[in-house]
Amino acid sequence: MPRSLGICLLTVATLVSTITAQLDLTGTWSTKSNKVFTGPGFYDPVTEKMHEPDLTGISYSFTDDGHFEEAHYRAISNPQQPQCPQGIMQFQHGTFSKAANGSLTLTPFAVDGRQLLSNPCSYESAIFTRFNQTEKFQRYTVAKDLYHNVLRLDLFKFDGSPMVPMYLAYKPPQMLPTQTLNPTTASSTGGAKATGGSKAKRWLSPDSGNFLNKDALLKTSEPLNADRLWWIGVGMTGIGGVLYFCF
């Protein structure tokens, strides 16, 4: 009997863990710098400006209905010319799907992605281009980080290597509208990288900076929606069935 009870409890814990992971992916996640967030504070599609955060970092946002947004700000060292580091900012958004094996595929709206490359020793102005890169993650995990006391998201690239951990910053997620922002008559799809179709040189915005909440590592309340209620119902049914079988 004790062994049977242990198996039942383990099954229940597995079901609860699976349901929790499904629900907890939703939100805006940011790396430890806590300076880079998705949303209008990073990229303004109306003025076509990218606002430089105070520090480098990465942010991803996910919705319950299968949309995502990402913001990257990275510094690129130059060992041959240490005085000439480069900076790169990237924005994408689109839809994502989850496979039965736990993998994630992020498919961006091809015409909306933007990249800003700053190379002050080679160009007087930063280079602004379209950007389109489909991403595949082998798996992901969501768990409470005991040190920061917030939920932590770990994404694993297609080859299994881990990305920098991200922490829950906003819930509901902070994002731009989940639709094509700059439609064209001949929009393309697929996984092509940065293209030069709309290449232009621009300065970084003079009023650049992080306009968002700088103490954002706080989980806010979010009302349950229909999708969440459905997943909770499935989970309770599964747990009830296991307990009925055991007892």
Side-chain angles (χ1 to χ4, degrees), residues 103-121:
S103 64
L104 292 175
T105 300
L106 278 56
T107 306
F109 299 136
V111 298
D112 279 352
R114 296 291 185 270
Q115 175 176 283
L116 187 67
L117 175 64
S118 175
N119 189 351
C121 292

Side-chain angles (χ1 to χ4, degrees), residues 91-163:
F91 159 83
Q92 288 195 128
H93 73 153
T95 60
F96 74 93
S97 60
K98 303 177 186 179
N101 63 2
S103 64
L104 292 175
T105 300
L106 278 56
T107 306
F109 299 136
V111 298
D112 279 352
R114 296 291 185 270
Q115 175 176 283
L116 187 67
L117 175 64
S118 175
N119 189 351
C121 292
S122 299
Y123 304 102
E124 184 179 355
S125 300
I127 300 175
F128 191 67
T129 65
R130 292 189 187 276
F131 180 76
N132 174 30
Q133 176 68 66
T134 298
E135 293 179 278
K136 294 185 178 181
F137 297 102
Q138 186 182 96
R139 62 188 179 93
Y140 73 94
T141 60
V142 175
K144 188 170 184 178
D145 187 284
L146 298 180
Y147 181 79
H148 295 94
N149 199 33
V150 292
L151 287 177
R152 166 175 159 170
L153 171 64
D154 289 283
L155 293 172
F156 296 84
K157 300 177 183 178
F158 69 95
D159 60 356
S161 59
M163 291 185 62

Side-chain angles (χ1 to χ4, degrees), residues 1-107:
M1 177 64 70
R3 181 179 180 183
S4 175
L5 178 61
I7 294 174
C8 291
L9 292 176
L10 179 61
T11 303
V12 170
T14 301
L15 283 170
V16 172
S17 176
T18 301
I19 297 165
T20 301
Q22 173 73 25
L23 297 177
D24 282 343
L25 184 62
T26 301
T28 293
W29 307 82
S30 181
T31 49
K32 190 176 180 180
S33 69
N34 197 29
K35 297 295 184 181
V36 178
F37 303 98
T38 57
F42 185 81
Y43 169 60
D44 184 346
V46 177
T47 61
E48 286 275 20
K49 286 185 178 181
M50 302 187 82
H51 302 290
E52 182 183 14
D54 294 335
L55 296 172
T56 57
I58 300 172
S59 178
Y60 280 79
S61 286
F62 299 93
T63 67
D64 289 331
D65 60 354
H67 290 88
F68 83 94
E69 183 174 325
E70 62 183 276
H72 293 251
Y73 178 37
R74 295 181 289 128
I76 305 173
S77 61
N78 187 342
Q80 296 181 343
Q81 293 180 292
Q83 73 280 11
C84 296
Q86 300 179 29
I88 186 169
M89 298 176 64
Q90 294 169 334
F91 159 83
Q92 288 195 128
H93 73 153
T95 60
F96 74 93
S97 60
K98 303 177 186 179
N101 63 2
S103 64
L104 292 175
T105 300
L106 278 56
T107 306

